[in-house]
Amino acid sequence: MLEHDVLVVGAGLAGMRAALAAHQSGANVAIISKVHPVRSHSNAAQGGINAALTDRGDNWEDHAFDTIKGSDYLGDQDAIEYMCTEAGPELIDLEHMGVIFNRDDEGRLGTRAFGGQQRARTFFVADFTGQAILHVLYEQLMKADVRVYEEWFVLELIVEEGECCGVIAMEIATGSVFVIRAKSVILCTGGLGRLFEPSTNALIVTGDGIALAYQVGAPVMDMEMVQYHPTTLKGSGVLITEGARGEGAHLLNKDGERFMQRYAPNMMELASRDVVSRSEQTEIDEGRGIDGCVLLDCRHLGEDLIAERLSQILEIGMDFAGVDIRKEPIPIQPGMHYIMGGIKTDMDGRTIVPGLYAAGECANVSVHGGNRLGANSLLDTVVFGHRSGRHAADWANGKAYRDLNVDDYVDGKEKEFSDLFSRQTDERWSQIRLDLGKAMDRYMGVYRDEEGMQSLLAMLPGFRERFAQASLQDKGRVFNTDLIFTLELGFMLDCAESIVLGGIERKESRGAHSRTDYPNRDDENWLKHVLVTRTDDGPEVSQLPVTITKWQPEERKY
Ligand SMILES: Cc1cc2nc3c(=O)[nH]c(=O)nc-3n(C[C@H](O)[C@H](O)[C@H](O)COP(=O)(O)OP(=O)(O)OC[C@H]3O[C@@H](n4cnc5c(N)ncnc54)[C@H](O)[C@@H]3O)c2cc1C
């Protein structure tokens, strides 16, 4: 029997940090990941990680205020306070573990400016910060000898008598199904970017953990809060880091005007992401774009700075757009990037299902509220990964393993698989996924309205029917990616349901949720979280108050 005190699902930054913390708390811990750990999407994080270090006169309260304002006052302020006070110690820990952050001219840890923040507090490793941190944490896990189920795919959570006590998973290399018993499970499965087409996210980012939790009755919260990043490449959706604007790049419309002066005269290109994306979309919609895009101009930054700090962007420009950013502006547009919503947790990472925890992008504790600040996500993953790892280990401590009828679970899955393998239709996951992604982008993008969201809601049963018909071309069990993509599509459909229902419920514009039919923020009625819970009678929508500690909502200007 495979069994561990603490089982961490996901080997991105949240998962690795959680596993390390659980290990340090004395638990027998394992990580399970559908890809090799360092291929997790955290690897793609370019720009950096925020922290307010006091050695340069910064302080956590300013960071907290910027985060709260960025969240459009929807973030829970107790959680934000915790994140911002822990940021410094967490950053220094990472440095001590071996992350080689860029230095400034005086040899101290260097910073770059990021959007929505009064000062430069983003620490970085060139433009591959996520990769640098992920590799260092992986080394730590290897040193600690933590078991990694590499290229294993979690299919379902096991909940008995209301407690989470393990998972059903498939070893991708063989296609064999196993039960892994655990006293606590931490979901660190990342976001759901690929539910939208296009997206900056890797192909593997399909909302699995959010759906797994939703399926066992854990509420998801503020799922309507979908971040569109201001600078993604046309068509492919590949990300151009906010670090480019942090280093001074300009946004121009077709007339060569720095249009942000009309929308955010103080912070210009470095206003928060929702504001910049809306401004770009307005320029495009009002005919001042070029072929659905505006331009990002890096030319004045100079070749040396670009080579030193934006080398990956230089390559991305050449490879994916055929543009040399040193010589010409690059066309960009707002594109799906991040989900602020996720599995509702408390600050210890607990969901409402005992034994089930969540951290990182799949969770919503809620530090990002209606809009996440750039470089606050990596911070969220390490701070709350760390804390949930510790608490999941405490929960497991002294508990006995539950007796599970392993054969029943495995046989149940085998039966589902044989039904799936025996289908003979022309319906394929790829076309459904594309159609769903385009519909999500169209109706849940930068601007939304009731009519669009209702029409999307009405389309979902049709997508589900097609999904129920989808058949596989690859009928083998060994490394069957056809099967994996199909299973992921099932998770995506659950996520879509909660996003649309959340969007319809929230009748105001706040953060990333901009409704043309309710253009204003409405604190009187909607300073609230929106929760969606799956019940036997279908999804149920409810609300919860936002935690305010000391920052009262104000008008948001940049
Ligand atoms: C291109 C890009 C650039 C970014 N840049 C920045 C930045 O500069 N700063 C910043 O703060 N944020 C940035 N972000 C956001 C940030 O990188 C992510 O929010 C964060 O890394 C998510 O980490 P995570 O640990 O929650 O999940 P991930 O890193 O996405 O890891 C998820 C893990 O879950 C596993 N998994 C998922 N489903 C299953 C399953 N069914 N079975 C088994 N395993 C599963 C995967 O294998 C993977 O190991 C960026 C995001 C993107 C896409």
Side-chain angles (χ1 to χ4, degrees), residues 9-15 32-35 40-42 44-48 152-154 188-190 200-201 208 239 337-338 359-361 372 375-378 381 491:
V9 184
L13 286 179
I32 179 163
S33 171
K34 65 181 176 181
V35 295
S40 302
H41 187 64
S42 294
Q46 302 169 348
W152 280 53
F153 188 91
V154 173
C188 299
T189 48
T200 65
N201 288 198
D208 306 10
L239 181 76
H337 182 57
Y338 183 85
E361 190 170 338
R372 168 177 76 87
N376 260 357
S377 173
L378 294 190
T381 62
F491 292 139

Side-chain angles (χ1 to χ4, degrees), residues 226-243:
V226 177
Q227 180 163 80
Y228 270 59
H229 192 289
T231 53
T232 71
L233 287 186
K234 185 179 173 184
S236 65
V238 172
L239 181 76
I240 303 289
T241 174
E242 187 165 304

Side-chain angles (χ1 to χ4, degrees), residues 371-442:
N371 170 67
R372 168 177 76 87
L373 293 187
N376 260 357
S377 173
L378 294 190
L379 179 61
D380 169 14
T381 62
V382 289
V383 168
F384 291 101
H386 188 163
R387 183 156 163 168
S388 60
R390 233 173 31 220
H391 282 272
D394 286 351
W395 166 267
N397 188 11
K399 241 177 136 43
Y401 286 107
R402 187 178 284 272
D403 276 333
L404 296 180
N405 196 333
V406 172
D407 291 344
D408 280 359
Y409 285 112
V410 174
D411 293 348
K413 271 296 153 204
E414 287 296 347
K415 168 85 181 48
E416 280 175 34
F417 280 175
S418 72
D419 290 348
L420 176 56
F421 277 96
S422 67
R423 278 184 219 153
Q424 299 281 3
T425 65
D426 292 331
E427 198 69 78
R428 301 271 178 261
W429 63 265
S430 49
Q431 192 60 46
I432 309 171
R433 193 159 151 166
L434 188 64
D435 295 346
L436 176 65
K438 290 205 161 138
M440 293 299 290
D441 183 60
R442 170 152 183 215

Side-chain angles (χ1 to χ4, degrees), residues 127-416:
D127 51 2
F128 44 82
T129 312
Q131 180 182 349
I133 304 178
L134 197 65
H135 279 253
V136 164
L137 283 181
Y138 188 48
E139 282 165 16
Q140 298 293 316
L141 285 180
M142 287 196 289
K143 189 164 121 194
D145 217 7
V146 166
R147 162 111 197 235
V148 181
Y149 294 89
E150 188 181 306
E151 295 182 331
W152 280 53
F153 188 91
V154 173
L155 302 160
E156 201 176 305
L157 296 174
I158 300 178
V159 175
E160 287 196 0
E161 292 173 16
E163 272 187 25
C164 183
C165 42
V167 305
I168 312 177
M170 178 176 72
E171 183 184 32
I172 298 175
T174 60
S176 308
V177 176
F178 295 87
V179 163
I180 307 179
R181 199 153 70 147
K183 297 174 188 169
S184 55
V185 172
I186 315 179
L187 293 170
C188 299
T189 48
L192 49 67
R194 280 288 150 177
L195 171 53
F196 288 69
E197 184 57 47
S199 162
T200 65
N201 288 198
L203 279 177
I204 54 173
V205 186
T206 50
D208 306 10
I210 297 176
L212 288 167
Y214 185 60
Q215 287 166 0
V216 297
V220 293
M221 186 164 91
D222 302 331
M223 292 295 286
E224 66 280 12
M225 296 302 179
V226 177
Q227 180 163 80
Y228 270 59
H229 192 289
T231 53
T232 71
L233 287 186
K234 185 179 173 184
S236 65
V238 172
L239 181 76
I240 303 289
T241 174
E242 187 165 304
R245 280 170 292 136
E247 300 292 351
H250 296 159
L251 287 170
L252 308 176
N253 62 17
K254 80 169 180 354
D255 305 318
E257 181 205 4
R258 274 181 82 187
F259 57 84
M260 283 309 298
Q261 67 205 8
R262 281 186 276 115
Y263 302 93
N266 296 319
M267 297 196 68
M268 299 289 287
E269 282 85 356
L270 288 177
S272 69
R273 288 181 176 171
D274 56 334
V275 173
V276 182
S277 286
R278 265 194 299 278
S279 311
E280 290 177 357
Q281 195 61 50
T282 306
E283 290 296 298
I284 295 165
D285 292 348
E286 293 181 356
R288 291 185 295 280
I290 304 167
D291 207 8
C293 289
V294 290
L295 298 170
L296 180 74
D297 190 358
C298 300
R299 287 173 298 183
H300 56 285
L301 301 180
E303 300 207 352
D304 291 348
L305 185 141
I306 290 175
E308 187 194 331
R309 297 186 168 192
L310 299 170
S311 57
Q312 204 184 140
I313 297 310
L314 179 63
E315 270 176 44
I316 287 175
M318 304 257 210
D319 293 349
F320 292 92
V323 171
D324 181 343
I325 60 166
R326 295 168 300 190
K327 303 207 169 95
E328 50 182 326
I330 188 162
I332 50 89
Q333 62 187 163
M336 194 289 173
H337 182 57
Y338 183 85
I339 178 86
M340 274 72 74
I343 307 157
K344 186 197 171 352
T345 70
D346 68 9
M347 281 206 271
D348 298 335
R350 258 187 293 251
T351 70
I352 63 159
V353 179
L356 182 64
Y357 294 74
E361 190 170 338
C362 70
N364 185 355
V365 353
S366 110
V367 284
H368 309 302
N371 170 67
R372 168 177 76 87
L373 293 187
N376 260 357
S377 173
L378 294 190
L379 179 61
D380 169 14
T381 62
V382 289
V383 168
F384 291 101
H386 188 163
R387 183 156 163 168
S388 60
R390 233 173 31 220
H391 282 272
D394 286 351
W395 166 267
N397 188 11
K399 241 177 136 43
Y401 286 107
R402 187 178 284 272
D403 276 333
L404 296 180
N405 196 333
V406 172
D407 291 344
D408 280 359
Y409 285 112
V410 174
D411 293 348
K413 271 296 153 204
E414 287 296 347
K415 168 85 181 48
E416 280 175 34

